[in-house]
Amino acid sequence: MRRAKIRSFTSVPLLLLLLLPLAPILVWSLANRWQYPASWPQALGIQGWRDFFSVGGAAALGHSIVIGTFVTLVVVPLSFMAAAAISQLKGWYLRIFEGTLLLPVLIPPFVLVIGVSAGAVAINIPVGVGVVLTLSVLALPYATYILRSAFTSYGSAWEEEGQLLGASKFQIFIRVRIPMLQSAILAASLVAFLIGWSDYIVTLTVGGGQILSLPLLIGASASAPGNDSPLAVMSFISILIPVLIAGLVIFLTKKRGEVKSS
Amino acid sequence: MRIRSILPLLPAALLILLVSGIALAKTILGSIGLWSDLGSGPGSLLGFHMISKSVGSALGLSLILASVSTALAALLGIGVAYLIHTSSRWSKTLAVVIGCLVITPHLVAAVSFNLLLGDAGFLARLLHPLTSSWPQFVAGPLWLGVILDFAWKESAFIALVILASLPREVQDLRLLAATLGAKPNQIALKVLLPSIKPALIVSSGLAFIYSIGSYEATWILGRTFPEPLANLTFRLFSDSDLGQRPAAYASAVLSLIVIACFAGAMAFFLPKRVNR
């Protein structure tokens, strides 16, 4: 009983400590005027939101969604196939492919981008394609890891049952495998989207300044003084969209769990 | 049979090998002058000579920042994971919060720490009546803003990896140890810590590698001089003078060597069960 109380007393300050760095974003996003050293804004309002839209925030938001979506569309099928195959491998084959999948985790992003941007110029690929492919490479290890764990714990009994009942390979894939792995596919999609959504350095360098995404707008605003309110709005949106998507993923996963158990 | 079974792997593996291969080839060959941005020329170590004066401080700073922030993140991550695992009243809320922290972009984390800890930041304003001078968290000599930002962001990742890897029987082992008279600190050291060791090594190692390669937080919250390896590399690469490129590639190669040595050491220290 005493220990449970101690845990509760430790949890609350820890929770506040973890949430504290996000507090300024909330307050500044609704501050029309906040002169130092006042402890609270002199005027609250939505000027920061107006400034966000006037500096091209809507377009940047759209670009980020498009980048995240394309990265997801490239990564999910590739990582799904890779995870299905890797879960069946053993010995040297397994080690070689595990090592290959680890490469993007071990190469720092700035090394990847300076090599890719110079290489992309040399072989003349469109910047958008270069950005999406580089980000897909960064996302592939994580998405494959998530799906591989799901494949490892996924038994083939349901597929065998389907075969016995005369289902074709395609029907088994669509009606058994995809629904059974739906949670892992959603989680891998979320991770792939997040890597595309939150990237700064790849879009800046490989994109050559031609694609203005939300992180690039944040970077530009952060390097100039006096932008605290629109900067807070951009940061707030950067967190809000992934949180909403993650919430949707959890909701869909839980809903599926309820359907399965009923 | 073998070839058929690895065919589905090939698109992902080839994409990774193609992009990483171009990046590594350009960086390594560029550092020794064999793939120059100013046309092909004879190989030379000019890039390494160009960074010889600044690379020592850059490397030292990167290693210190990564080590201190990873150690703090590991401690905080273990604490958070422990509180969630032991089912305190707040464990669900804590789990939601660390989930939100993990999906917060690194750039946004750096911006929020700047708004929190800067000279005219949120805390400086709140505590202004109590203190006349605010410590230099941002762009200060101790790089405290960068360290706290890395520790905060990576602690959530470490906690999440630890929680995801905890075997189901740990709860039973804890109860068994308690029934046999083990004290809470004995249970933590002899039951929980060995269970989380592989996940702790892997997640802390990844956090360390990320910190070495991270650019955004040190750019927003750090000083312009001395600069960490990632910032040195990126500044040299972004210079309008293409003559600086060999130095950028040389600096990038050094980062790769540091990370390769660290990854090798990490693989060596992993328990055999994990390190197949």
Tab-separated table of all heavy atoms in Angstrom, chain A residues 7 11-12 15 18 21 28 34 38 78 81 85 89 93-94 98 100 105-106 108 110 114 117-118 194 198 205 215 219, chain B residues 2 5 8-9 11 16 26 86 88 90 94 103 105 107-108 112 115 125 128 152 206 213 219 230 234 237 255 259 276:
chain	number	residue	atom	x	y	z
A	7	ARG	N	4.732	5.232	-5.570
A	7	ARG	CA	4.747	5.192	-7.036
A	7	ARG	C	3.855	6.290	-7.617
A	7	ARG	O	4.203	6.949	-8.579
A	7	ARG	CB	4.313	3.815	-7.547
A	7	ARG	CG	5.447	2.801	-7.519
A	7	ARG	CD	5.137	1.659	-8.455
A	7	ARG	NE	4.008	0.871	-8.008
A	7	ARG	CZ	4.104	-0.221	-7.238
A	7	ARG	NH1	5.294	-0.641	-6.844
A	7	ARG	NH2	3.050	-0.884	-6.877
A	11	SER	N	4.980	9.305	-9.915
A	11	SER	CA	4.427	9.380	-11.270
A	11	SER	C	3.978	10.784	-11.634
A	11	SER	O	4.218	11.238	-12.753
A	11	SER	CB	3.232	8.434	-11.410
A	11	SER	OG	3.629	7.122	-11.226
A	12	VAL	N	3.330	11.491	-10.689
A	12	VAL	CA	2.760	12.805	-11.023
A	12	VAL	C	3.849	13.827	-11.383
A	12	VAL	O	3.775	14.455	-12.459
A	12	VAL	CB	1.838	13.310	-9.883
A	12	VAL	CG1	1.324	14.704	-10.188
A	12	VAL	CG2	0.668	12.344	-9.715
A	15	LEU	N	5.300	12.897	-14.729
A	15	LEU	CA	4.353	13.212	-15.800
A	15	LEU	C	4.427	14.703	-16.163
A	15	LEU	O	4.495	15.073	-17.334
A	15	LEU	CB	2.945	12.871	-15.301
A	15	LEU	CG	1.867	12.541	-16.300
A	15	LEU	CD1	2.249	11.350	-17.132
A	15	LEU	CD2	0.572	12.251	-15.569
A	18	LEU	N	7.671	15.481	-17.965
A	18	LEU	CA	7.654	15.041	-19.366
A	18	LEU	C	6.800	15.964	-20.232
A	18	LEU	O	7.086	16.168	-21.403
A	18	LEU	CB	7.147	13.597	-19.471
A	18	LEU	CG	8.072	12.513	-18.925
A	18	LEU	CD1	7.372	11.159	-18.918
A	18	LEU	CD2	9.360	12.413	-19.726
A	21	PRO	N	7.971	20.536	-21.391
A	21	PRO	CA	8.519	21.147	-22.615
A	21	PRO	C	7.478	21.444	-23.684
A	21	PRO	O	7.735	22.240	-24.576
A	21	PRO	CB	9.526	20.087	-23.117
A	21	PRO	CG	9.894	19.321	-21.904
A	21	PRO	CD	8.657	19.272	-21.074
A	28	TRP	N	2.166	29.876	-26.383
A	28	TRP	CA	2.607	30.813	-27.428
A	28	TRP	C	1.699	30.768	-28.656
A	28	TRP	O	1.567	31.753	-29.366
A	28	TRP	CB	4.053	30.522	-27.836
A	28	TRP	CG	4.984	31.640	-27.459
A	28	TRP	CD1	4.979	32.906	-27.990
A	28	TRP	CD2	6.014	31.617	-26.472
A	28	TRP	NE1	5.961	33.660	-27.387
A	28	TRP	CE2	6.610	32.900	-26.464
A	28	TRP	CE3	6.494	30.652	-25.604
A	28	TRP	CZ2	7.663	33.232	-25.629
A	28	TRP	CZ3	7.548	30.978	-24.783
A	28	TRP	CH2	8.116	32.252	-24.779
A	34	TRP	N	3.139	39.092	-26.124
A	34	TRP	CA	3.724	38.579	-24.871
A	34	TRP	C	5.128	39.135	-24.738
A	34	TRP	O	6.101	38.540	-25.182
A	34	TRP	CB	3.750	37.041	-24.896
A	34	TRP	CG	4.049	36.433	-23.547
A	34	TRP	CD1	4.259	37.101	-22.379
A	34	TRP	CD2	4.168	35.043	-23.239
A	34	TRP	NE1	4.490	36.221	-21.351
A	34	TRP	CE2	4.438	34.948	-21.856
A	34	TRP	CE3	4.067	33.882	-23.978
A	34	TRP	CZ2	4.620	33.726	-21.214
A	34	TRP	CZ3	4.252	32.664	-23.340
A	34	TRP	CH2	4.517	32.582	-21.981
A	38	ALA	N	6.943	39.602	-18.795
A	38	ALA	CA	5.619	39.240	-18.264
A	38	ALA	C	5.471	37.726	-18.161
A	38	ALA	O	5.920	36.995	-19.051
A	38	ALA	CB	4.544	39.798	-19.193
A	78	LEU	N	6.838	-2.774	-49.538
A	78	LEU	CA	8.204	-3.326	-49.545
A	78	LEU	C	8.539	-3.998	-48.210
A	78	LEU	O	9.116	-5.087	-48.179
A	78	LEU	CB	9.236	-2.220	-49.834
A	78	LEU	CG	9.230	-1.590	-51.224
A	78	LEU	CD1	10.455	-0.710	-51.434
A	78	LEU	CD2	9.204	-2.642	-52.312
A	81	MET	N	6.592	-7.374	-47.785
A	81	MET	CA	7.215	-8.503	-48.503
A	81	MET	C	8.509	-8.917	-47.811
A	81	MET	O	8.777	-10.110	-47.626
A	81	MET	CB	7.514	-8.093	-49.956
A	81	MET	CG	6.284	-7.915	-50.799
A	81	MET	SD	6.679	-7.795	-52.548
A	81	MET	CE	7.591	-6.296	-52.651
A	85	ALA	N	9.336	-12.580	-45.958
A	85	ALA	CA	10.450	-13.442	-46.386
A	85	ALA	C	11.453	-13.636	-45.267
A	85	ALA	O	11.926	-14.751	-45.025
A	85	ALA	CB	11.117	-12.818	-47.604
A	89	LEU	N	13.652	-16.947	-43.014
A	89	LEU	CA	15.076	-17.199	-43.279
A	89	LEU	C	15.816	-17.653	-42.029
A	89	LEU	O	15.430	-17.352	-40.900
A	89	LEU	CB	15.741	-15.933	-43.811
A	89	LEU	CG	15.371	-15.476	-45.219
A	89	LEU	CD1	16.153	-14.230	-45.591
A	89	LEU	CD2	15.648	-16.573	-46.241
A	93	TYR	N	21.842	-16.311	-44.692
A	93	TYR	CA	20.917	-15.472	-45.451
A	93	TYR	C	20.270	-14.443	-44.521
A	93	TYR	O	20.167	-13.271	-44.842
A	93	TYR	CB	19.820	-16.325	-46.102
A	93	TYR	CG	20.297	-17.094	-47.308
A	93	TYR	CD1	20.754	-18.399	-47.192
A	93	TYR	CD2	20.283	-16.506	-48.571
A	93	TYR	CE1	21.191	-19.107	-48.289
A	93	TYR	CE2	20.719	-17.196	-49.674
A	93	TYR	CZ	21.170	-18.507	-49.536
A	93	TYR	OH	21.606	-19.186	-50.628
A	94	LEU	N	19.855	-14.935	-43.351
A	94	LEU	CA	19.194	-14.066	-42.383
A	94	LEU	C	20.138	-12.943	-41.945
A	94	LEU	O	19.770	-11.767	-41.914
A	94	LEU	CB	18.739	-14.891	-41.176
A	94	LEU	CG	18.063	-14.115	-40.049
A	94	LEU	CD1	16.759	-13.512	-40.528
A	94	LEU	CD2	17.805	-15.008	-38.850
A	98	GLU	N	19.554	-9.043	-42.511
A	98	GLU	CA	19.418	-8.214	-41.304
A	98	GLU	C	20.437	-7.081	-41.338
A	98	GLU	O	20.126	-5.944	-40.991
A	98	GLU	CB	19.637	-9.070	-40.050
A	98	GLU	CG	18.388	-9.799	-39.606
A	98	GLU	CD	18.614	-10.592	-38.334
A	98	GLU	OE1	19.781	-10.950	-38.039
A	98	GLU	OE2	17.633	-10.872	-37.645
A	100	THR	N	21.759	-5.741	-43.995
A	100	THR	CA	21.344	-4.771	-45.028
A	100	THR	C	20.266	-3.841	-44.471
A	100	THR	O	20.312	-2.630	-44.663
A	100	THR	CB	20.784	-5.516	-46.262
A	100	THR	OG1	21.747	-6.482	-46.664
A	100	THR	CG2	20.497	-4.570	-47.405
A	105	VAL	N	19.950	2.598	-40.385
A	105	VAL	CA	19.914	3.002	-38.973
A	105	VAL	C	21.317	3.442	-38.550
A	105	VAL	O	21.484	4.354	-37.732
A	105	VAL	CB	19.435	1.831	-38.082
A	105	VAL	CG1	19.424	2.205	-36.617
A	105	VAL	CG2	18.045	1.385	-38.517
A	106	LEU	N	22.330	2.787	-39.111
A	106	LEU	CA	23.703	3.067	-38.696
A	106	LEU	C	24.326	4.254	-39.440
A	106	LEU	O	25.268	4.861	-38.945
A	106	LEU	CB	24.579	1.823	-38.893
A	106	LEU	CG	24.188	0.615	-38.031
A	106	LEU	CD1	25.100	-0.558	-38.312
A	106	LEU	CD2	24.249	0.960	-36.548
A	108	PRO	N	24.362	7.958	-40.353
A	108	PRO	CA	23.656	9.163	-39.899
A	108	PRO	C	22.938	9.831	-41.072
A	108	PRO	O	23.464	9.837	-42.189
A	108	PRO	CB	24.784	10.068	-39.384
A	108	PRO	CG	25.976	9.223	-39.264
A	108	PRO	CD	25.816	8.045	-40.161
A	110	PHE	N	22.676	12.831	-42.020
A	110	PHE	CA	23.396	13.863	-42.782
A	110	PHE	C	24.409	13.245	-43.740
A	110	PHE	O	24.716	13.816	-44.783
A	110	PHE	CB	24.064	14.904	-41.861
A	110	PHE	CG	25.184	14.385	-41.001
A	110	PHE	CD1	26.483	14.341	-41.471
A	110	PHE	CD2	24.940	13.956	-39.716
A	110	PHE	CE1	27.512	13.876	-40.678
A	110	PHE	CE2	25.965	13.481	-38.913
A	110	PHE	CZ	27.241	13.434	-39.389
A	114	ILE	N	24.078	13.948	-47.763
A	114	ILE	CA	25.113	14.620	-48.569
A	114	ILE	C	25.565	13.701	-49.707
A	114	ILE	O	25.858	14.153	-50.799
A	114	ILE	CB	26.319	15.156	-47.741
A	114	ILE	CG1	27.125	14.030	-47.105
A	114	ILE	CG2	25.906	16.161	-46.724
A	114	ILE	CD1	28.424	14.531	-46.479
A	117	SER	N	22.308	13.579	-52.219
A	117	SER	CA	22.043	14.805	-52.969
A	117	SER	C	23.092	14.993	-54.059
A	117	SER	O	22.744	15.358	-55.184
A	117	SER	CB	21.982	16.018	-52.053
A	117	SER	OG	23.185	16.140	-51.364
A	118	ALA	N	24.361	14.726	-53.732
A	118	ALA	CA	25.398	14.857	-54.760
A	118	ALA	C	25.217	13.781	-55.837
A	118	ALA	O	25.353	14.056	-57.027
A	118	ALA	CB	26.769	14.753	-54.110
A	194	LEU	N	5.286	8.966	-40.229
A	194	LEU	CA	5.963	9.869	-39.288
A	194	LEU	C	7.345	10.258	-39.779
A	194	LEU	O	7.760	11.407	-39.629
A	194	LEU	CB	6.107	9.188	-37.925
A	194	LEU	CG	4.901	9.236	-37.008
A	194	LEU	CD1	5.175	8.454	-35.751
A	194	LEU	CD2	4.592	10.685	-36.668
A	198	SER	N	7.996	14.160	-40.415
A	198	SER	CA	8.822	14.947	-39.492
A	198	SER	C	10.205	15.272	-40.037
A	198	SER	O	10.981	15.942	-39.376
A	198	SER	CB	8.953	14.196	-38.163
A	198	SER	OG	9.595	12.970	-38.388
A	205	THR	N	18.005	19.090	-48.027
A	205	THR	CA	19.216	18.877	-48.820
A	205	THR	C	18.918	18.187	-50.148
A	205	THR	O	19.307	18.688	-51.201
A	205	THR	CB	20.232	18.041	-48.004
A	205	THR	OG1	20.301	18.584	-46.699
A	205	THR	CG2	21.597	18.081	-48.629
A	215	PRO	N	8.296	21.025	-41.619
A	215	PRO	CA	9.560	21.153	-40.881
A	215	PRO	C	10.499	22.209	-41.479
A	215	PRO	O	11.213	22.889	-40.749
A	215	PRO	CB	10.173	19.753	-40.972
A	215	PRO	CG	9.017	18.853	-41.157
A	215	PRO	CD	8.045	19.619	-41.992
A	219	GLY	N	12.006	25.305	-39.522
A	219	GLY	CA	13.447	25.604	-39.513
A	219	GLY	C	13.701	27.051	-39.907
A	219	GLY	O	14.490	27.751	-39.262
B	2	ARG	N	15.669	-21.662	-52.228
B	2	ARG	CA	16.250	-20.538	-51.475
B	2	ARG	C	16.025	-19.220	-52.200
B	2	ARG	O	15.634	-18.236	-51.615
B	2	ARG	CB	17.755	-20.786	-51.282
B	2	ARG	CG	18.055	-21.675	-50.102
B	2	ARG	CD	18.578	-20.809	-48.968
B	2	ARG	NE	18.414	-21.460	-47.680
B	2	ARG	CZ	19.307	-22.260	-47.143
B	2	ARG	NH1	20.430	-22.526	-47.783
B	2	ARG	NH2	19.101	-22.814	-45.961
B	5	SER	N	12.559	-18.025	-52.030
B	5	SER	CA	12.170	-17.508	-50.714
B	5	SER	C	12.779	-16.132	-50.425
B	5	SER	O	12.249	-15.401	-49.585
B	5	SER	CB	12.537	-18.505	-49.610
B	5	SER	OG	13.928	-18.685	-49.586
B	8	PRO	N	11.015	-11.928	-52.406
B	8	PRO	CA	10.228	-10.800	-51.878
B	8	PRO	C	11.073	-9.790	-51.101
B	8	PRO	O	10.664	-8.640	-50.902
B	8	PRO	CB	9.222	-11.480	-50.937
B	8	PRO	CG	9.207	-12.906	-51.333
B	8	PRO	CD	10.561	-13.216	-51.872
B	9	LEU	N	12.250	-10.233	-50.638
B	9	LEU	CA	13.114	-9.340	-49.869
B	9	LEU	C	13.861	-8.359	-50.761
B	9	LEU	O	14.304	-7.303	-50.309
B	9	LEU	CB	14.165	-10.200	-49.166
B	9	LEU	CG	14.079	-10.388	-47.679
B	9	LEU	CD1	15.061	-11.438	-47.245
B	9	LEU	CD2	14.364	-9.087	-46.968
B	11	PRO	N	13.260	-6.215	-53.375
B	11	PRO	CA	12.974	-4.792	-53.609
B	11	PRO	C	13.438	-3.894	-52.462
B	11	PRO	O	14.083	-2.867	-52.701
B	11	PRO	CB	11.443	-4.762	-53.746
B	11	PRO	CG	11.076	-6.129	-54.183
B	11	PRO	CD	12.057	-7.055	-53.538
B	16	ILE	N	17.560	-0.155	-50.412
B	16	ILE	CA	18.467	0.267	-49.341
B	16	ILE	C	19.908	0.274	-49.851
B	16	ILE	O	20.663	1.230	-49.641
B	16	ILE	CB	18.331	-0.662	-48.110
B	16	ILE	CG1	16.987	-0.417	-47.428
B	16	ILE	CG2	19.468	-0.436	-47.124
B	16	ILE	CD1	16.676	-1.379	-46.301
B	26	LYS	N	29.806	8.047	-52.507
B	26	LYS	CA	30.065	9.472	-52.720
B	26	LYS	C	30.859	10.055	-51.545
B	26	LYS	O	31.799	10.830	-51.736
B	26	LYS	CB	28.717	10.197	-52.880
B	26	LYS	CG	28.809	11.689	-53.059
B	26	LYS	CD	29.451	12.060	-54.369
B	26	LYS	CE	29.906	13.507	-54.363
B	26	LYS	NZ	30.779	13.846	-55.466
B	86	THR	N	4.857	-1.403	-13.315
B	86	THR	CA	4.382	-1.807	-11.989
B	86	THR	C	2.945	-1.360	-11.717
B	86	THR	O	2.496	-1.397	-10.564
B	86	THR	CB	5.318	-1.277	-10.883
B	86	THR	OG1	5.552	0.107	-11.135
B	86	THR	CG2	6.625	-2.028	-10.840
B	88	SER	N	1.133	1.541	-11.621
B	88	SER	CA	0.692	2.568	-10.675
B	88	SER	C	-0.602	3.167	-11.254
B	88	SER	O	-0.979	2.880	-12.392
B	88	SER	CB	1.754	3.647	-10.513
B	88	SER	OG	1.710	4.526	-11.606
B	90	TRP	N	-1.135	5.911	-12.368
B	90	TRP	CA	-0.895	6.822	-13.481
B	90	TRP	C	-0.263	6.136	-14.682
B	90	TRP	O	0.148	6.802	-15.626
B	90	TRP	CB	0.006	7.963	-13.002
B	90	TRP	CG	-0.641	8.788	-11.954
B	90	TRP	CD1	-0.566	8.608	-10.611
B	90	TRP	CD2	-1.493	9.906	-12.158
B	90	TRP	NE1	-1.304	9.540	-9.950
B	90	TRP	CE2	-1.892	10.361	-10.883
B	90	TRP	CE3	-1.973	10.573	-13.282
B	90	TRP	CZ2	-2.739	11.453	-10.715
B	90	TRP	CZ3	-2.802	11.665	-13.119
B	90	TRP	CH2	-3.183	12.083	-11.841
B	94	LEU	N	0.869	7.831	-18.218
B	94	LEU	CA	2.300	7.886	-18.562
B	94	LEU	C	2.554	7.247	-19.921
B	94	LEU	O	3.336	7.754	-20.733
B	94	LEU	CB	3.123	7.150	-17.498
B	94	LEU	CG	3.739	7.993	-16.380
B	94	LEU	CD1	4.389	7.094	-15.337
B	94	LEU	CD2	4.766	8.977	-16.914
B	103	ILE	N	6.319	10.353	-30.916
B	103	ILE	CA	5.910	10.823	-32.245
B	103	ILE	C	6.110	12.330	-32.436
B	103	ILE	O	5.856	12.845	-33.514
B	103	ILE	CB	4.460	10.417	-32.612
B	103	ILE	CG1	3.454	10.942	-31.604
B	103	ILE	CG2	4.332	8.921	-32.750
B	103	ILE	CD1	2.039	10.552	-31.950
B	105	PRO	N	8.145	15.278	-33.567
B	105	PRO	CA	9.348	15.394	-34.402
B	105	PRO	C	10.525	16.015	-33.632
B	105	PRO	O	10.325	16.879	-32.774
B	105	PRO	CB	8.898	16.318	-35.535
B	105	PRO	CG	7.420	16.184	-35.589
B	105	PRO	CD	6.991	15.967	-34.170
B	107	LEU	N	12.759	18.086	-34.566
B	107	LEU	CA	12.892	19.527	-34.784
B	107	LEU	C	11.934	20.290	-33.872
B	107	LEU	O	12.298	21.307	-33.277
B	107	LEU	CB	12.590	19.840	-36.262
B	107	LEU	CG	12.684	21.296	-36.666
B	107	LEU	CD1	14.110	21.818	-36.552
B	107	LEU	CD2	12.190	21.489	-38.103
B	108	VAL	N	10.725	19.771	-33.733
B	108	VAL	CA	9.724	20.415	-32.873
B	108	VAL	C	10.161	20.330	-31.401
B	108	VAL	O	9.984	21.278	-30.637
B	108	VAL	CB	8.333	19.761	-33.079
B	108	VAL	CG1	7.323	20.269	-32.074
B	108	VAL	CG2	7.845	20.015	-34.487
B	112	SER	N	10.573	23.483	-28.998
B	112	SER	CA	9.865	23.647	-27.716
B	112	SER	C	10.856	23.848	-26.569
B	112	SER	O	10.564	24.606	-25.643
B	112	SER	CB	8.917	22.490	-27.435
B	112	SER	OG	9.441	21.293	-27.833
B	115	LEU	N	11.799	27.450	-26.691
B	115	LEU	CA	10.745	28.293	-26.120
B	115	LEU	C	10.644	28.124	-24.603
B	115	LEU	O	10.221	29.021	-23.895
B	115	LEU	CB	9.390	27.964	-26.758
B	115	LEU	CG	9.197	28.332	-28.229
B	115	LEU	CD1	7.862	27.805	-28.748
B	115	LEU	CD2	9.271	29.844	-28.423
B	125	ARG	N	10.438	33.613	-18.004
B	125	ARG	CA	9.348	34.562	-17.749
B	125	ARG	C	8.617	34.209	-16.456
B	125	ARG	O	8.343	35.077	-15.625
B	125	ARG	CB	8.345	34.549	-18.907
B	125	ARG	CG	8.860	35.197	-20.157
B	125	ARG	CD	8.031	34.808	-21.364
B	125	ARG	NE	8.706	35.169	-22.592
B	125	ARG	CZ	8.328	36.155	-23.391
B	125	ARG	NH1	7.284	36.878	-23.095
B	125	ARG	NH2	9.007	36.418	-24.483
B	128	HIS	N	10.862	34.929	-13.449
B	128	HIS	CA	11.527	36.233	-13.455
B	128	HIS	C	11.441	36.966	-12.120
B	128	HIS	O	12.425	37.546	-11.658
B	128	HIS	CB	10.970	37.111	-14.582
B	128	HIS	CG	11.652	38.414	-14.681
B	128	HIS	ND1	11.116	39.573	-14.175
B	128	HIS	CD2	12.867	38.748	-15.180
B	128	HIS	CE1	11.960	40.558	-14.384
B	128	HIS	NE2	13.026	40.084	-15.000
B	152	TRP	N	15.263	14.059	-22.923
B	152	TRP	CA	13.782	14.046	-22.872
B	152	TRP	C	13.212	13.203	-24.005
B	152	TRP	O	12.400	12.313	-23.793
B	152	TRP	CB	13.296	15.493	-22.977
B	152	TRP	CG	11.817	15.701	-22.998
B	152	TRP	CD1	10.963	15.606	-21.951
B	152	TRP	CD2	11.018	16.082	-24.124
B	152	TRP	NE1	9.679	15.903	-22.360
B	152	TRP	CE2	9.689	16.199	-23.682
B	152	TRP	CE3	11.292	16.346	-25.459
B	152	TRP	CZ2	8.643	16.566	-24.522
B	152	TRP	CZ3	10.256	16.707	-26.300
B	152	TRP	CH2	8.945	16.814	-25.828
B	206	LEU	N	21.032	2.892	-29.914
B	206	LEU	CA	20.398	3.617	-31.029
B	206	LEU	C	20.257	5.104	-30.685
B	206	LEU	O	20.442	5.966	-31.555
B	206	LEU	CB	19.026	3.018	-31.347
B	206	LEU	CG	19.055	1.637	-32.013
B	206	LEU	CD1	17.641	1.099	-32.210
B	206	LEU	CD2	19.774	1.693	-33.364
B	213	GLY	N	24.521	11.634	-34.865
B	213	GLY	CA	24.148	12.044	-36.218
B	213	GLY	C	23.133	13.166	-36.277
B	213	GLY	O	22.784	13.626	-37.360
B	219	TRP	N	21.794	22.585	-33.716
B	219	TRP	CA	21.714	23.826	-34.505
B	219	TRP	C	20.845	24.851	-33.781
B	219	TRP	O	21.205	26.029	-33.673
B	219	TRP	CB	21.151	23.486	-35.895
B	219	TRP	CG	20.701	24.656	-36.700
B	219	TRP	CD1	21.450	25.771	-37.014
B	219	TRP	CD2	19.412	24.861	-37.296
B	219	TRP	NE1	20.704	26.630	-37.769
B	219	TRP	CE2	19.454	26.109	-37.971
B	219	TRP	CE3	18.244	24.111	-37.348
B	219	TRP	CZ2	18.358	26.607	-38.666
B	219	TRP	CZ3	17.167	24.615	-38.050
B	219	TRP	CH2	17.222	25.844	-38.696
B	230	ALA	N	28.207	16.622	-36.674
B	230	ALA	CA	27.113	16.709	-37.652
B	230	ALA	C	26.993	18.131	-38.189
B	230	ALA	O	26.824	18.335	-39.395
B	230	ALA	CB	25.799	16.284	-37.004
B	234	PHE	N	27.665	19.397	-42.017
B	234	PHE	CA	26.581	20.008	-42.786
B	234	PHE	C	26.936	21.440	-43.199
B	234	PHE	O	26.612	21.872	-44.306
B	234	PHE	CB	25.289	19.974	-41.969
B	234	PHE	CG	24.074	20.186	-42.817
B	234	PHE	CD1	23.712	19.249	-43.766
B	234	PHE	CD2	23.316	21.337	-42.697
B	234	PHE	CE1	22.602	19.447	-44.579
B	234	PHE	CE2	22.217	21.540	-43.494
B	234	PHE	CZ	21.850	20.600	-44.436
B	237	PHE	N	29.329	21.203	-46.059
B	237	PHE	CA	28.656	20.729	-47.272
B	237	PHE	C	27.787	21.838	-47.881
B	237	PHE	O	27.671	21.939	-49.104
B	237	PHE	CB	27.793	19.501	-46.953
B	237	PHE	CG	27.116	18.926	-48.161
B	237	PHE	CD1	27.830	18.176	-49.086
B	237	PHE	CD2	25.768	19.150	-48.400
B	237	PHE	CE1	27.213	17.654	-50.213
B	237	PHE	CE2	25.144	18.628	-49.527
B	237	PHE	CZ	25.872	17.873	-50.432
B	255	SER	N	32.516	10.467	-38.875
B	255	SER	CA	31.281	10.114	-38.141
B	255	SER	C	30.950	8.640	-38.374
B	255	SER	O	30.555	7.930	-37.438
B	255	SER	CB	30.086	10.926	-38.604
B	255	SER	OG	30.443	12.221	-38.867
B	259	ILE	N	30.630	5.710	-35.499
B	259	ILE	CA	29.392	4.929	-35.341
B	259	ILE	C	29.668	3.441	-35.561
B	259	ILE	O	29.148	2.588	-34.825
B	259	ILE	CB	28.292	5.467	-36.278
B	259	ILE	CG1	27.815	6.803	-35.717
B	259	ILE	CG2	27.128	4.494	-36.403
B	259	ILE	CD1	26.893	7.565	-36.614
B	276	ARG	N	22.797	-13.123	-31.972
B	276	ARG	CA	22.985	-14.441	-32.561
B	276	ARG	C	24.249	-14.499	-33.390
B	276	ARG	O	24.589	-13.585	-34.081
B	276	ARG	CB	21.787	-14.780	-33.462
B	276	ARG	CG	20.651	-15.339	-32.694
B	276	ARG	CD	19.411	-15.393	-33.533
B	276	ARG	NE	18.898	-14.053	-33.701
B	276	ARG	CZ	18.724	-13.501	-34.885
B	276	ARG	NH1	19.031	-14.114	-35.960
B	276	ARG	NH2	18.221	-12.286	-34.998
